Amino acid sequence: MSLELSPEVFVIFAALVEEAAGIHYRLEDRELLQGKLAARAVEAGFDSLLDYYYYLRYDPDSAEERQELIDSLVVNESYLFREQRQLRYIASEILAPAVDAGRTPRVWSAACAAGEEPLGLAMMLAERGILGRVELVASDISRRALARARRGELSRRALRDVAEPGLVTRWVERSDRGGIVRPSLLGHVDFRQVNLTDAEAVRRLGTFDVILCRNVLIYFSDELQRRVVQLLLERLEPEGTLWVGISESLMRLEPYVTCEERQGLLFYRAGVR
Ligand SMILES: C[S@@+](CC[C@H](N)C(=O)[O-])C[C@H]1O[C@@H](n2cnc3c(N)ncnc32)[C@H](O)[C@@H]1O
Protein backbone atom coordinates (compact mmCIF):
# COMPACT_ATOMS: atom_id res chain seq x y z
CA MET A 1 0.00 0.00 0.00
CA SER A 2 1.61 3.28 -1.08
CA LEU A 3 -0.46 6.23 -0.12
CA GLU A 4 2.71 8.19 0.51
CA LEU A 5 3.28 11.10 -1.82
CA SER A 6 6.95 11.04 -2.79
CA PRO A 7 8.42 14.31 -4.15
CA GLU A 8 8.32 12.79 -7.67
CA VAL A 9 4.68 11.76 -7.47
CA PHE A 10 3.89 15.10 -5.83
CA VAL A 11 5.26 16.89 -8.91
CA ILE A 12 3.15 14.97 -11.43
CA PHE A 13 0.03 15.11 -9.25
CA ALA A 14 0.41 18.84 -8.60
CA ALA A 15 0.68 19.38 -12.37
CA LEU A 16 -2.48 17.33 -12.95
CA VAL A 17 -4.42 19.27 -10.32
CA GLU A 18 -3.22 22.59 -11.69
CA GLU A 19 -4.24 21.60 -15.22
CA ALA A 20 -7.65 20.45 -14.03
CA ALA A 21 -8.59 23.27 -11.66
CA GLY A 22 -5.84 25.87 -11.62
CA ILE A 23 -5.07 25.16 -7.97
CA HIS A 24 -1.35 25.55 -7.37
CA TYR A 25 0.39 23.42 -4.74
CA ARG A 26 3.96 24.23 -3.73
CA LEU A 27 6.35 21.56 -2.53
CA GLU A 28 5.83 22.76 1.05
CA ASP A 29 2.12 21.89 0.66
CA ARG A 30 3.01 18.26 -0.02
CA GLU A 31 1.54 16.91 3.23
CA LEU A 32 -1.66 18.83 2.77
CA LEU A 33 -2.11 17.50 -0.75
CA GLN A 34 -1.13 13.99 0.31
CA GLY A 35 -3.87 13.89 2.97
CA LYS A 36 -6.55 14.99 0.54
CA LEU A 37 -5.38 12.71 -2.29
CA ALA A 38 -5.07 9.68 -0.03
CA ALA A 39 -8.61 10.12 1.30
CA ARG A 40 -10.00 10.43 -2.22
CA ALA A 41 -7.90 7.54 -3.60
CA VAL A 42 -9.13 5.18 -0.87
CA GLU A 43 -12.70 6.26 -1.49
CA ALA A 44 -12.24 5.49 -5.19
CA GLY A 45 -10.79 2.04 -4.42
CA PHE A 46 -7.05 2.64 -5.00
CA ASP A 47 -4.28 1.59 -2.65
CA SER A 48 -1.48 3.45 -4.42
CA LEU A 49 -1.33 7.15 -5.28
CA LEU A 50 0.67 6.38 -8.40
CA ASP A 51 -2.07 4.04 -9.67
CA TYR A 52 -4.65 6.68 -8.82
CA TYR A 53 -2.60 9.21 -10.79
CA TYR A 54 -2.40 6.94 -13.87
CA TYR A 55 -6.12 6.33 -13.70
CA LEU A 56 -6.92 10.05 -13.58
CA ARG A 57 -4.40 10.93 -16.27
CA TYR A 58 -5.01 8.18 -18.81
CA ASP A 59 -8.30 6.36 -18.24
CA PRO A 60 -10.97 7.66 -20.62
CA ASP A 61 -13.62 6.97 -17.96
CA SER A 62 -11.98 9.05 -15.24
CA ALA A 63 -13.91 12.30 -15.76
CA GLU A 64 -16.30 11.57 -12.91
CA GLU A 65 -13.46 10.84 -10.47
CA ARG A 66 -11.59 13.97 -11.59
CA GLN A 67 -14.63 16.00 -10.63
CA GLU A 68 -14.80 14.21 -7.26
CA LEU A 69 -11.15 15.01 -6.70
CA ILE A 70 -11.63 18.69 -7.56
CA ASP A 71 -14.60 18.82 -5.19
CA SER A 72 -12.45 17.41 -2.42
CA LEU A 73 -9.61 19.89 -3.01
CA VAL A 74 -11.47 23.20 -3.28
CA VAL A 75 -12.20 25.40 -0.30
CA ASN A 76 -15.86 26.40 -0.48
CA GLU A 77 -15.71 28.64 2.57
CA SER A 78 -17.99 31.66 2.13
CA TYR A 79 -20.85 33.52 3.79
CA LEU A 80 -23.75 35.68 2.69
CA PHE A 81 -22.45 39.05 3.78
CA ARG A 82 -18.72 38.54 3.43
CA GLU A 83 -16.98 41.83 2.72
CA GLN A 84 -20.41 43.37 2.56
CA ARG A 85 -19.28 46.97 2.04
CA GLN A 86 -18.30 45.94 -1.49
CA LEU A 87 -21.70 44.33 -2.10
CA ARG A 88 -23.53 47.40 -0.76
CA TYR A 89 -21.50 49.75 -2.93
CA ILE A 90 -22.16 47.60 -6.00
CA ALA A 91 -25.90 47.46 -5.27
CA SER A 92 -26.40 51.15 -4.52
CA GLU A 93 -23.73 52.94 -6.56
CA ILE A 94 -23.48 50.76 -9.68
CA LEU A 95 -26.55 48.60 -10.16
CA ALA A 96 -29.28 50.94 -8.86
CA PRO A 97 -28.14 53.85 -11.10
CA ALA A 98 -27.89 51.50 -14.11
CA VAL A 99 -31.46 50.31 -13.50
CA ASP A 100 -32.61 53.93 -13.04
CA ALA A 101 -31.07 54.66 -16.44
CA GLY A 102 -33.32 51.97 -17.96
CA ARG A 103 -30.67 49.25 -18.34
CA THR A 104 -30.63 45.63 -17.16
CA PRO A 105 -27.13 45.33 -15.73
CA ARG A 106 -25.43 41.94 -15.63
CA VAL A 107 -23.40 40.67 -12.68
CA TRP A 108 -21.19 37.58 -12.55
CA SER A 109 -20.13 35.97 -9.31
CA ALA A 110 -17.22 33.98 -10.73
CA ALA A 111 -16.43 31.66 -7.80
CA CYS A 112 -19.75 31.60 -5.99
CA ALA A 113 -19.16 28.55 -3.72
CA ALA A 114 -22.62 27.44 -2.50
CA GLY A 115 -24.20 30.69 -3.68
CA GLU A 116 -23.58 32.80 -0.58
CA GLU A 117 -22.07 35.75 -2.48
CA PRO A 118 -24.72 36.18 -5.21
CA LEU A 119 -27.53 35.46 -2.75
CA GLY A 120 -26.28 38.11 -0.32
CA LEU A 121 -26.16 40.58 -3.20
CA ALA A 122 -29.62 39.45 -4.38
CA MET A 123 -31.04 40.25 -0.93
CA MET A 124 -29.59 43.77 -1.12
CA LEU A 125 -31.09 44.25 -4.57
CA ALA A 126 -34.47 42.99 -3.37
CA GLU A 127 -34.30 45.50 -0.52
CA ARG A 128 -33.97 48.25 -3.12
CA GLY A 129 -36.78 46.80 -5.24
CA ILE A 130 -34.51 46.14 -8.24
CA LEU A 131 -33.85 42.41 -8.00
CA GLY A 132 -35.89 41.60 -11.10
CA ARG A 133 -34.06 44.30 -13.05
CA VAL A 134 -30.57 42.86 -12.64
CA GLU A 135 -29.26 39.68 -14.26
CA LEU A 136 -27.27 37.56 -11.81
CA VAL A 137 -25.02 34.79 -13.12
CA ALA A 138 -23.08 32.73 -10.58
CA SER A 139 -20.57 30.00 -11.28
CA ASP A 140 -18.08 27.74 -9.60
CA ILE A 141 -15.97 24.72 -10.52
CA SER A 142 -17.33 22.67 -7.63
CA ARG A 143 -20.25 20.45 -8.55
CA ARG A 144 -20.95 19.73 -4.90
CA ALA A 145 -21.10 23.43 -3.96
CA LEU A 146 -23.32 24.20 -6.94
CA ALA A 147 -25.73 21.42 -6.03
CA ARG A 148 -26.12 22.99 -2.59
CA ALA A 149 -26.50 26.42 -4.18
CA ARG A 150 -29.30 25.21 -6.45
CA ARG A 151 -31.10 23.66 -3.48
CA GLY A 152 -30.69 26.94 -1.58
CA GLU A 153 -28.93 25.24 1.34
CA LEU A 154 -27.04 27.61 3.60
CA SER A 155 -24.82 26.37 6.39
CA ARG A 156 -24.87 28.01 9.80
CA ARG A 157 -21.50 29.55 8.96
CA ALA A 158 -22.97 31.11 5.81
CA LEU A 159 -25.37 33.05 8.03
CA ARG A 160 -22.78 34.74 10.22
CA ASP A 161 -22.04 38.49 10.31
CA VAL A 162 -25.57 39.46 9.39
CA ALA A 163 -25.86 43.21 9.90
CA GLU A 164 -29.58 43.31 9.15
CA PRO A 165 -31.28 40.18 10.47
CA GLY A 166 -34.56 41.29 8.84
CA LEU A 167 -33.05 40.61 5.42
CA VAL A 168 -32.30 37.00 6.26
CA THR A 169 -35.64 36.47 8.01
CA ARG A 170 -37.37 37.59 4.85
CA TRP A 171 -35.47 35.33 2.45
CA VAL A 172 -34.25 32.35 4.45
CA GLU A 173 -36.23 29.60 6.16
CA ARG A 174 -34.17 28.69 9.23
CA SER A 175 -33.32 25.00 9.73
CA ASP A 176 -31.21 23.00 12.19
CA ARG A 177 -28.27 23.08 9.82
CA GLY A 178 -28.55 26.76 8.87
CA GLY A 179 -31.24 27.71 6.43
CA ILE A 180 -32.96 27.24 3.09
CA VAL A 181 -33.24 30.18 0.73
CA ARG A 182 -36.77 30.87 -0.44
CA PRO A 183 -37.39 30.05 -4.12
CA SER A 184 -38.58 33.61 -4.76
CA LEU A 185 -34.98 34.77 -4.22
CA LEU A 186 -33.13 31.70 -5.45
CA GLY A 187 -34.92 31.83 -8.80
CA HIS A 188 -33.16 35.11 -9.61
CA VAL A 189 -29.70 33.54 -9.70
CA ASP A 190 -28.58 31.58 -12.74
CA PHE A 191 -26.08 28.99 -11.43
CA ARG A 192 -23.60 27.44 -13.89
CA GLN A 193 -20.56 25.22 -13.62
CA VAL A 194 -17.56 27.08 -15.05
CA ASN A 195 -13.86 26.46 -14.57
CA LEU A 196 -12.13 29.86 -14.62
CA THR A 197 -9.19 28.36 -16.48
CA ASP A 198 -11.48 27.38 -19.38
CA ALA A 199 -11.31 30.43 -21.65
CA GLU A 200 -14.07 29.23 -23.99
CA ALA A 201 -16.51 28.56 -21.14
CA VAL A 202 -15.78 32.00 -19.70
CA ARG A 203 -16.33 33.69 -23.06
CA ARG A 204 -19.67 31.94 -23.53
CA LEU A 205 -21.03 33.79 -20.50
CA GLY A 206 -21.08 37.09 -22.38
CA THR A 207 -20.18 40.46 -20.93
CA PHE A 208 -20.88 42.01 -17.55
CA ASP A 209 -21.20 45.32 -15.76
CA VAL A 210 -19.79 43.82 -12.57
CA ILE A 211 -17.60 40.76 -12.05
CA LEU A 212 -16.94 39.48 -8.54
CA CYS A 213 -13.92 37.21 -8.36
CA ARG A 214 -13.29 37.22 -4.66
CA ASN A 215 -11.04 34.92 -2.65
CA VAL A 216 -10.23 32.46 -5.43
CA LEU A 217 -7.25 33.89 -7.33
CA ILE A 218 -5.13 33.22 -4.22
CA TYR A 219 -5.21 29.52 -5.06
CA PHE A 220 -3.66 30.06 -8.52
CA SER A 221 -0.04 30.61 -9.57
CA ASP A 222 0.99 34.18 -10.50
CA GLU A 223 1.00 33.22 -14.16
CA LEU A 224 -2.51 31.76 -14.03
CA GLN A 225 -3.81 34.72 -12.01
CA ARG A 226 -2.58 36.96 -14.80
CA ARG A 227 -4.31 34.87 -17.48
CA VAL A 228 -7.59 34.59 -15.59
CA VAL A 229 -7.65 38.31 -14.80
CA GLN A 230 -7.05 39.05 -18.48
CA LEU A 231 -9.98 36.79 -19.41
CA LEU A 232 -12.22 38.47 -16.86
CA LEU A 233 -11.27 41.96 -18.05
CA GLU A 234 -12.25 40.93 -21.59
CA ARG A 235 -15.70 40.05 -20.20
CA LEU A 236 -16.30 43.55 -18.82
CA GLU A 237 -18.53 46.10 -20.49
CA PRO A 238 -16.58 49.31 -21.29
CA GLU A 239 -17.60 50.87 -17.95
CA GLY A 240 -17.57 47.52 -16.13
CA THR A 241 -15.73 46.82 -12.88
CA LEU A 242 -13.89 43.80 -11.50
CA TRP A 243 -13.84 43.12 -7.75
CA VAL A 244 -11.48 40.86 -5.84
CA GLY A 245 -11.42 40.10 -2.11
CA ILE A 246 -10.41 42.95 0.21
CA SER A 247 -7.16 41.24 1.18
CA GLU A 248 -6.26 40.65 -2.48
CA SER A 249 -4.74 43.16 -4.88
CA LEU A 250 -4.26 43.33 -8.63
CA MET A 251 -2.00 46.39 -8.53
CA ARG A 252 0.98 44.32 -9.64
CA LEU A 253 -0.83 43.76 -12.95
CA GLU A 254 -0.86 47.46 -13.87
CA PRO A 255 -0.94 48.84 -16.55
CA TYR A 256 -3.10 45.96 -17.87
CA VAL A 257 -5.56 46.70 -15.11
CA THR A 258 -6.29 50.08 -13.61
CA CYS A 259 -7.27 50.42 -10.01
CA GLU A 260 -9.85 52.89 -8.69
CA GLU A 261 -10.87 53.76 -5.19
CA ARG A 262 -14.31 54.91 -4.01
CA GLN A 263 -15.42 55.18 -0.41
CA GLY A 264 -12.30 53.28 0.66
CA LEU A 265 -13.08 50.37 -1.67
CA LEU A 266 -10.78 49.24 -4.48
CA PHE A 267 -11.94 47.86 -7.79
CA TYR A 268 -10.45 47.33 -11.23
CA ARG A 269 -11.08 48.08 -14.88
CA ALA A 270 -9.31 47.03 -18.05
CA GLY A 271 -6.15 49.07 -18.66
CA VAL A 272 -3.71 48.98 -21.57
CA ARG A 273 -4.53 46.13 -24.00
C1 LIG B 1 -12.99 30.51 -0.73
S1 LIG B 1 -14.27 30.28 -1.92
C2 LIG B 1 -14.71 31.98 -2.26
C3 LIG B 1 -16.21 32.14 -2.39
C4 LIG B 1 -16.70 33.59 -2.53
N1 LIG B 1 -16.27 34.17 -3.79
C5 LIG B 1 -16.25 34.42 -1.37
O1 LIG B 1 -15.43 35.34 -1.54
O2 LIG B 1 -16.71 34.16 -0.25
C6 LIG B 1 -13.33 29.81 -3.39
C7 LIG B 1 -14.19 29.18 -4.45
O3 LIG B 1 -13.44 29.12 -5.66
C8 LIG B 1 -13.82 27.95 -6.35
N2 LIG B 1 -12.79 27.62 -7.36
C9 LIG B 1 -11.54 27.13 -7.15
N3 LIG B 1 -10.91 26.93 -8.32
C10 LIG B 1 -11.78 27.32 -9.29
C11 LIG B 1 -11.71 27.37 -10.72
N4 LIG B 1 -10.63 26.95 -11.39
N5 LIG B 1 -12.80 27.81 -11.40
C12 LIG B 1 -13.91 28.22 -10.74
N6 LIG B 1 -14.03 28.20 -9.39
C13 LIG B 1 -12.97 27.77 -8.69
C14 LIG B 1 -13.96 26.92 -5.23
O4 LIG B 1 -14.75 25.82 -5.63
C15 LIG B 1 -14.60 27.74 -4.12
O5 LIG B 1 -16.01 27.64 -4.13
Side-chain angles (χ1 to χ4, degrees):
M1 180 123 148
S2 177
L3 290 165
E4 282 307 302
L5 190 62
S6 66
E8 293 76 15
V9 180
F10 167 82
V11 168
I12 55 177
F13 241 124
L16 179 84
V17 167
E18 192 157 3
E19 254 172 63
I23 303 167
H24 179 67
Y25 285 93
R26 294 157 306 162
L27 193 54
E28 52 267 41
D29 306 323
R30 179 155 65 111
E31 256 180 56
L32 174 74
L33 183 62
Q34 194 261 337
K36 292 184 172 192
L37 288 176
R40 200 47 249 159
V42 168
E43 182 80 14
F46 291 87
D47 57 13
S48 139
L49 285 185
L50 190 58
D51 289 349
Y52 183 49
Y53 169 82
Y54 283 128
Y55 172 72
L56 291 169
R57 173 66 83 193
Y58 299 111
D59 195 299
D61 297 327
S62 65
E64 180 62 27
E65 181 53 34
R66 270 183 180 234
Q67 180 65 54
E68 290 289 343
L69 176 61
I70 291 171
D71 275 327
S72 71
L73 294 178
V74 289
V75 177
N76 295 135
E77 168 68 18
S78 187
Y79 49 102
L80 279 180
F81 298 109
R82 187 176 197 176
E83 298 164 8
Q84 54 184 298
R85 285 193 54 235
Q86 291 184 329
L87 300 179
R88 290 206 176 278
Y89 180 91
I90 290 167
S92 60
E93 306 299 322
I94 299 181
L95 301 174
V99 168
D100 286 345
R103 299 184 47 238
T104 303
R106 299 189 80 221
V107 179
W108 176 26
S109 166
C112 68
E116 297 86 346
E117 180 177 275
L119 290 166
L121 180 62
M123 289 180 195
M124 293 177 187
L125 297 176
E127 209 186 3
R128 288 170 178 75
I130 58 169
L131 179 57
R133 310 276 308 276
V134 176
E135 207 180 310
L136 290 173
V137 176
S139 64
D140 201 280
I141 196 173
S142 167
R143 188 171 62 181
R144 203 180 298 161
L146 285 169
R148 292 195 39 229
R150 290 183 175 119
R151 291 194 296 266
E153 280 175 23
L154 293 173
S155 65
R156 239 181 265 145
R157 290 170 67 76
L159 293 165
R160 84 186 102 130
D161 246 10
V162 174
E164 289 167 60
L167 259 192
V168 171
T169 316
R170 183 171 166 202
W171 296 111
V172 180
E173 190 88 49
R174 290 285 189 156
S175 71
D176 290 350
R177 294 206 184 142
I180 301 288
V181 181
R182 293 187 212 284
S184 48
L185 186 85
L186 200 58
H188 285 277
V189 184
D190 176 6
F191 288 106
R192 320 250 186 112
Q193 188 177 25
V194 175
N195 180 346
L196 287 170
T197 70
D198 181 344
E200 275 317 302
V202 168
R203 291 195 180 108
R204 278 197 294 273
L205 295 174
T207 54
F208 296 90
D209 298 271
V210 173
I211 298 178
L212 292 160
C213 186
R214 305 191 304 170
N215 305 302
V216 59
L217 292 170
I218 40 170
Y219 299 105
F220 301 165
S221 68
D222 284 355
E223 164 56 23
L224 184 62
Q225 290 191 22
R226 204 174 280 271
R227 267 197 286 135
V228 170
V229 167
Q230 193 60 46
L231 259 180
L232 300 180
L233 294 172
E234 283 171 19
R235 296 295 95 213
L236 285 177
E237 289 288 344
E239 292 303 312
T241 53
L242 169 65
W243 298 74
V244 296
I246 52 173
S247 57
E248 303 173 280
S249 167
L250 300 181
M251 297 235 194
R252 69 192 179 289
L253 302 182
E254 284 180 325
Y256 304 103
V257 295
T258 60
C259 178
E260 287 182 37
E261 181 273 335
R262 296 279 185 288
Q263 300 178 12
L265 299 168
L266 299 181
F267 54 82
Y268 302 88
R269 297 182 197 271
V272 175
R273 296 252 176 195

